[in-house]
Amino acid sequence: MATSTQFPDDFRCPISLEIMSDPVILSSGHTFDRSSIQRWVDSGHRTCPITNLPIADPVSLIPNHALRSLISNYTLVSFPKPLAYPDPQSLIQTLIASSSSSNLDSKINSLDQLSKLSKRDLAIRRKLTESGAVSALLNCANSDDDSGGLQEKALHLLLILSLDDDNKVGLVAEGVVGKVVSALRRGAGDSRAVAATVLTSLAVVEVNKATIGAYPDAIQGLISLLWGGSGRERKEAATALYTLCSFPDNRVRAVENQAVPVLIKNANSGLERSVEVLGLLAKCREGRQEMIKFCGLLDVLIKFLKNGSSRAVQYALLTISLLCSYNERMRVLAVREGVFEISVGLLEDDNEKVRRNANSLIQVLQGKRLSL
C-alpha cells in the first residue's frame, strides 16, 4: 500500500491534511473528510473552512462517492520502488582497485556513476578526496588508452571535485596540475577542453595561480591550444589564461610564450575572451612592448569597441588606454582612427565600467598619461 506522501493532494482533507476515508461535499462545493467537517460544524461554525462563506443550515453533507472510489483504487496501485543509487564507497573502492588493472569498463562505469553522484552531493565529493580516490583518478587522467573516453571522464570528475574551494589547494598538492597539463597537450576527444577548464577552476584560488603558472608547460600548453584547438578548446584556453594572468608574474610568462600574436589572431576571429586577456597583458611592460609591434591590433580592438559585448568593450578600452599611454605613436594613430569619438559615445553606455574606461581613454587621448 502507498504511503500518504505518495497520494495526490486532492485526496487530503483540507482541515486535517490526512487522506480522507469518508469524503463528503459541503454546500460550498468543497470536499472534506466527514469526521473533520463534522467537528467543525459541531463546534458552532456555519461557514466553509476554505471560502469562509455562509453554508446552508441545517448543514448537509453529501457523500463524494467518486472521490472515495478513486482513493480506494489508488491504494491498489503497485508503486515502483525508488531508484536505488549505487553505494559511493563501493564505487570508490572499485575505482581504486581497478586503477592498477586493465578493466577499462569497470573504470569507466565507476567514473560515470561517481560523477553523477558527486554533482549533487558535497559529502560524496568530500569522501572522494579523503579516500585516496584522487590518485586513481590521476592514473585514469594520464591514461594513453582513451578509446572509451577514460581520460575525459576522469578529468570531468576532477573538475567536479575542484569546484569546491576547500578541494582546490589539496588537489594541486596531490599532483593534479601535472596530469592536467599532460592532457592539455596530448588529450583526445574533449579532454583538452576539459583540462583547460580544470585549470581555470583550480586557479580561482590565488596561491594556485602562482603554482600553475610556474609549472613547466602549463601556460605554454594553453597558448598551444589557442593556436591549434577547436572553437571550444580555444575558448576554454583563453578563459584559463585570463584567470591565471590576474596574477602579475603570469602575464610576463604568457608574453614570453608568445601569447600576444595568438591572442590577436583569435580576437580578430571574434573570440572576445582574447581581448580580455590582452587587457591584462597590457598591464605589464613586456606585454605593451609586444603589442605595439602589431599594426593590425588597433583595428581589431576598434571592431570590439563598435560591436563587442559590454565586457569586450570594457577590455578593449583598457587595452587601448594602456598602449596609448605607453606609446605616443599608438596615441596618434588611435586619434586618427576615430577612437576619441567612439569613446565619447560610450560615455552614455549603460555599463558603469565601460563609461569609466571610456572616460579614462579620452583623457589619455587628450595627452594625460596613466600611471603604469
Side-chain angles (χ1 to χ4, degrees):
M1 179 175 175
T3 64
S4 62
T5 57
Q6 293 173 309
F7 283 91
D9 288 341
D10 288 343
F11 289 5
R12 300 178 184 278
C13 173
I15 298 174
S16 68
L17 300 182
E18 298 294 332
I19 303 302
M20 292 182 279
S21 59
D22 186 8
V24 293
I25 304 172
L26 201 58
S27 58
S28 64
H30 292 280
T31 298
F32 303 87
D33 201 21
R34 183 183 294 275
S35 60
S36 296
I37 193 63
Q38 192 64 58
R39 283 195 298 273
W40 173 268
V41 172
D42 290 346
S43 63
H45 294 97
R46 289 298 180 268
T47 57
C48 173
I50 294 178
T51 66
N52 208 32
L53 295 175
I55 56 177
D57 194 8
V59 176
S60 174
L61 301 177
I62 303 172
N64 190 334
H65 295 297
L67 182 57
R68 183 170 184 170
S69 177
L70 280 174
I71 294 172
S72 177
N73 290 332
Y74 202 83
T75 62
L76 302 177
V77 175
S78 176
F79 289 93
K81 294 181 179 179
L83 291 174
Y85 292 113
D87 173 38
Q89 191 59 45
S90 172
L91 290 171
I92 292 170
Q93 290 304 317
T94 300
L95 183 63
I96 294 172
S98 63
S99 66
S100 59
S101 72
S102 58
N103 192 345
L104 187 62
D105 289 341
S106 176
K107 294 179 187 178
I108 289 176
N109 180 65
S110 295
L111 290 169
D112 269 337
Q113 297 290 345
L114 286 169
S115 291
K116 291 175 184 176
L117 293 171
S118 298
K119 278 182 181 179
R120 57 175 174 262
D121 196 328
L122 172 62
I124 293 176
R125 296 197 293 273
R126 185 175 294 118
K127 185 179 291 186
L128 271 166
T129 56
E130 294 173 352
S131 65
V134 172
S135 176
L137 271 179
L138 295 180
N139 287 335
C140 294
N142 201 40
S143 171
D144 293 328
D145 180 8
D146 201 32
S147 58
L150 177 65
Q151 183 183 59
E152 182 184 335
K153 292 179 186 299
L155 288 168
H156 187 258
L157 183 49
L158 282 172
L159 175 60
I160 293 171
L161 296 181
S162 74
L163 297 178
D164 294 334
D165 285 349
D166 290 344
N167 288 341
K168 295 182 191 294
V169 175
L171 287 172
V172 170
E174 289 204 49
V176 165
V177 175
K179 306 297 184 182
V180 171
V181 170
S182 178
L184 190 70
R185 299 181 68 86
R186 294 184 288 275
D190 285 335
S191 292
R192 297 195 298 176
V194 179
T197 310
V198 173
L199 291 182
T200 300
S201 177
L202 293 173
V204 168
V205 177
E206 202 66 21
V207 67
N208 284 352
K209 288 180 171 68
T211 304
I212 296 170
Y215 193 91
D217 295 339
I219 287 177
Q220 186 183 52
L222 291 169
I223 292 170
S224 295
L225 207 54
L226 280 170
W227 278 115
S230 65
R232 180 190 172 194
E233 289 170 345
R234 288 184 290 110
K235 182 177 180 181
E236 296 298 343
T239 301
L241 265 182
Y242 175 82
T243 307
L244 288 168
C245 287
S246 64
F247 182 69
D249 288 357
N250 288 338
R251 297 168 193 165
V252 177
R253 292 186 179 110
V255 173
E256 290 173 345
N257 280 281
Q258 300 302 306
V260 170
V262 74
L263 287 168
I264 295 174
K265 175 179 179 290
N266 277 274
N268 193 41
S269 299
L271 184 61
E272 291 195 348
R273 187 61 63 132
S274 294
V275 179
E276 298 173 27
V277 184
L278 286 170
L280 294 181
L281 299 188
K283 292 183 177 183
C284 71
R285 179 175 53 84
E286 293 83 355
R288 295 190 294 272
Q289 286 177 336
E290 188 70 15
M291 286 181 208
I292 61 175
K293 298 176 184 177
F294 293 87
C295 299
L297 174 58
L298 185 60
D299 290 335
V300 173
L301 295 173
I302 290 173
K303 180 173 66 174
F304 282 99
L305 290 184
K306 294 178 176 178
N307 301 306
S309 67
S310 290
R311 190 170 173 86
V313 171
Q314 173 193 336
Y315 277 91
L317 288 167
L318 172 64
T319 306
I320 297 173
S321 291
L322 291 167
L323 293 178
C324 289
S325 188
Y326 176 72
N327 183 269
E328 178 64 15
R329 182 181 63 82
M330 181 66 78
R331 187 183 74 84
V332 172
L333 181 60
V335 171
R336 191 171 68 215
E337 294 296 325
V339 173
F340 183 89
E341 291 77 11
I342 296 172
S343 300
V344 171
L346 290 171
L347 292 175
E348 304 298 322
D349 195 87
D350 292 336
N351 187 288
E352 189 272 334
K353 290 183 178 179
V354 169
R355 296 195 304 271
R356 187 175 67 220
N357 284 5
N359 183 62
S360 177
L361 178 53
I362 288 170
Q363 293 182 49
V364 170
L365 295 177
Q366 290 175 330
K368 179 181 177 182
R369 291 189 177 276
L370 297 176
S371 57
L372 300 174

